[in-house]
Amino acid sequence: MKKQLPSHTQVVVIGGGIHGCSVAYHLAKEGWTDVVLLERKQLTSGTTWHAAGLVGQLQGSHATTAFAKYGIELLEEIEAETGQNPGYRRSGSISIATNDERMAELKRKADFASLFGIEANYLSTPEIKNRWPLMNPEGVLGGIYMPSDGSANPTDLTMALVKGARQRGATIMEHIKVEEILITEGRASGVRTDHGAITADFVVNCAGMWARDLGQQNGVGVPLHACEHYYLVTEAIKGLPSDLPVLRSYCDGTYFKEDAGKLLFGFAHNHAKPWGVEGISEAFCFDSLPFVEDDVMDVLELAMNRVPLLQETGIRTFFNGPESYSYDGRFTLGEAPDVKNYFVLAGVNSTGIQSGSGAGRAIAQWIMKGHPPMDLSEMDPSRCEEFQARDAYLQNRCPETLVLTYAMHWPNRQRETVRNLRKSPFYHAMKARGAFFTETQGWERPGWFTPEGIDPKIEYSFGRQNWFDYAQAEQKAAREDVAMIDYTMLGKLMVEGPDAEAFLQRICTNNMAIKPGRVIYTLMLNDRGGIESDVTFARHADNSFMMMSSISHTRRDYLHLRDHLLPEEDVKLRDVTSGFGVLGIMGPKSRDLLAVVSNVDVSNNAFPFNSFQEFYIGHARVKAQRLSYSGELGWEIFVTPDFSEHVFDVLYEAGQEFGLRLIGGEALNALRIEKGFVHWGHDMAYTEAPHQLGLGFACKPNKSISFIGRDAYLARKEEGKGPFLCSVKLCDSSPILHQNEPVLRNGEVVGYVTAGAYGYATGSAVGLCLLSLPEGETNVETGEFTVMVEGVKFDANVSLTPFYDPKSKNMLG
């Protein structure tokens, strides 16, 4: 029998799991009651119903931790609001370590907790054994106890959200399958279902493991795939304490929680498998998958060793269910890049119950406000390249995300699946010279270079990894001689047409009325005065500019320009990223090298900073722009792929006279941090305004064409609120900074490290950090500063100017 659907609604939410129900609840709670949620079968019948229900507050990033922290708050309140008990128990959690590196990771996790006011305490092995008497303490070095963690009943929590949404007027409908999301003139305009169509102003795809297929119908990439995921539940255990904390033994790949007098324990997987590669059955509803013992036997043995009682306790439930994992371990949350008013929330990597309430609220707030409520850039659907949303890619990459869930979360962990997709013209030459390749957006890029005779491989650590000395030598070459790096994978976008200059004046903060042959650094803001990107433009001709973007934001920057083009503007955008090989040369002897290999005057007067010229290197015509992300004298040299190896050979051979050394991304990152150069997505995002980052020099509010966000930027600048970006340097030369280490001022947490490295020139760990001051204080450089590294406070210096060459004499000379 056909169900009667409304003909129109303000928001259609697709999917009746924790995420869809959270979106509907939070929209209705804020007064958007004209909401319809459609579920293909029954509420929670996909993945939500079989979730383990763990609710830990501390997650892998600022945004996901904010989601989980809010989720705990909601669990404590929602029963009083709706009368529905979500099954929440605040039992706490204990994470244990059986080796020094895992202990270092847990200590860093506890440090991270302090940024959010979340309590996290170190426990010795005897203390852990006292709180968790069933644990075998053999090999346990200690652990971290988080008293505010616990568990919830996934179905009960979801039903509480449903009840709250219905009480406020939202419509929740089961057994209605959305067959297609309707698009009109580039905007989501409703859905077609097996019971008829509904028009809508907004559509939210929360379809879980069906979200990818639904997105593919409209060219919306949802980069997730379902994988098989196991847990077991024992028979009832006499005398099992009901207040047992959740126990996570990452090194064993297991977690344990008390479950109504039984013990539920689940696994990370060493042999994860994608599921539903041929599609998902139409009949799927509260289904489980075959339990294949061989898939988890190795981890099961570790679990039985860690909790010996399991060896003599019967198993009531052997469970295998599908869970969605993303290709990079991040959520997909936000507006689709090619369809307006089409929102996605999916691919949360087995964290739906602890993150679902907060993630759903974020989507609801985004829809209502018209912009993200916090920095959600890491989850941006536009980060995903087209090839990364295809089944062939996801079926190989997503299971690795599951495998890495309980693996060590190294600061520069490299993926091993689906590699060697995109290679620059210099790949083979650099591989022959000892490059260890890292991967970003499918690009293989040298991370560092090993000396001849040494196998280029990585040995992970939170301390000095095996490549540390190599990267120090690479930095030394850049600071004292000359270094060369592969920049090919940086995004290159041509902006062309009669209206190109006027269009860029409107989009960019700097004065884009530069002469041909000049290069300019600029920001692009949103209408709230936040930074959407920072890029460089080179003017090739009156009607032609080339924009350079970072590797991971190439697509996002292209979309930003495309979406702001007006119909009357005669401008064409062309992605030419693969059309050029690019080599960066940098260092005090880079001018000498370029003079030897070219037919051009490279003196400061003839070839000043922020200019570009065309000339020959060897037999190849090249374009070169004088820029430097290292803070040294330097050029970026563009050459077509056919001549790329020739130009590399000429530069490399001539460079030996000047001490040339090939360098990779690790060295460059340290060089730019020493110099205080920012990176979008690490040190800033669309939440920060230029004045907070010392980037006001790139903003020209009085130019003839006003830029987007100008008035908001000026208002925020006048208000003068932080946080503010500073440079930070440790006084002790031993520790390493990576990211998210807390920064303390006079003993109080005031910020965190956004990016860290070990600087050759400074001889210690350096970083950039965002700092907030107490109300009424204005000088961020006063006070005694320390940085927390693995539970230890290290004295530090903080400065609004970089510690290396603050006046840029080297770069501009």
Side-chain angles (χ1 to χ4, degrees), residues 767-784:
L768 296 174
C769 58
L770 279 171
L771 304 183
S772 299
L773 290 182
E775 191 71 31
E777 295 193 36
T778 57
N779 191 342
V780 296
E781 296 177 307
T782 61
E784 296 183 359

Side-chain angles (χ1 to χ4, degrees), residues 475 478-479 586 630 663 667-675:
Q475 290 184 58
R479 293 291 189 226
M586 64 201 77
S630 66
I663 73 169
L668 181 68
N669 189 51
L671 292 167
R672 70 97 180 170
I673 290 173
E674 270 191 331
K675 187 62 181 72

Side-chain angles (χ1 to χ4, degrees), residues 282 433 510 616 758:
E282 283 289 325
R433 289 165 176 82
N510 218 327
Y616 279 87
Y758 198 95

Side-chain angles (χ1 to χ4, degrees), residues 503-510 522-533 560 564 686-692 695-696 698-703 705-718:
F503 167 65
L504 292 179
Q505 286 283 51
R506 187 168 57 82
I507 300 299
C508 300
T509 61
N510 218 327
T522 185
L523 310 175
M524 297 187 286
L525 305 185
N526 53 47
D527 56 11
R528 304 176 307 283
I531 301 171
E532 288 291 335
S533 189
H560 183 78
H564 283 86
Y686 44 64
T687 45
E688 282 75 47
H691 78 277
Q692 296 174 248
L695 297 178
C699 299
K700 302 296 187 290
N702 297 322
K703 63 181 182 176
I705 298 177
S706 182
F707 57 82
I708 292 172
R710 171 189 176 274
D711 292 345
Y713 155 63
L714 291 175
R716 290 178 67 171
K717 181 181 178 183
E718 178 67 23

